[in-house]
Amino acid sequence: MEKIIIPTVSVLATGTDFAAKQMQANANEVMPLHHANLESILFIYEGECILQMNDEELLLKPGEAVVIPPLIKHQIKAVKDYKGIHFMPKDIKFEFFKNV
């Protein structure tokens, strides 16, 4: 059974313009549907997750990364317990949507 959750996030590093944040979730947990106003990159280093974006599902495994364009609704589902690093501009803004 899937469970909508806010993933565990911890800041790894911040600079003048960018931040790197670790995200993690357990198998079958799903992040809320959302988008951001700026581009970001998600890099997976442990476990597996599915990124749902543009009506497609992309399976991400350790060592894989994906660019998430601005204003594109997306959602992440943990297939296995996973950890990833989300690289983003410090002034990024997120907007969350109700799942339908």
Side-chain angles (χ1 to χ4, degrees):
M1 180 88 184
E2 294 178 353
K3 183 170 100 175
I4 303 288
I5 57 102
I6 301 298
T8 301
V9 177
S10 55
V11 176
L12 299 174
T14 55
T16 304
D17 298 318
F18 293 95
K21 298 180 180 182
Q22 177 181 275
M23 302 174 38
Q24 65 185 69
N26 297 318
N28 296 316
E29 292 179 338
V30 180
M31 287 182 59
L33 182 66
H34 65 286
H35 73 205
N37 63 327
L38 300 169
E39 179 179 79
S40 65
I41 296 173
L42 177 62
F43 171 77
I44 301 302
Y45 67 89
E46 188 176 300
E48 294 180 5
C49 66
I50 294 173
L51 174 66
Q52 297 172 328
M53 181 171 64
N54 290 331
D55 296 322
E56 295 180 20
E57 291 190 347
L58 178 62
L59 178 64
L60 296 171
K61 296 180 179 183
E64 296 180 336
V66 63
V67 173
I68 302 173
L71 302 176
I72 298 296
K73 289 182 182 178
H74 59 280
Q75 188 168 35
I76 298 170
K77 174 187 175 183
V79 175
K80 298 179 180 177
D81 293 359
Y82 85 93
K83 290 182 181 178
I85 301 174
H86 198 182
F87 300 94
M88 64 189 79
K90 281 176 55 177
D91 57 351
I92 196 167
K93 305 273 188 284
F94 295 95
E95 182 178 359
F96 293 88
F97 303 92
K98 291 184 178 183
N99 289 44
V100 278

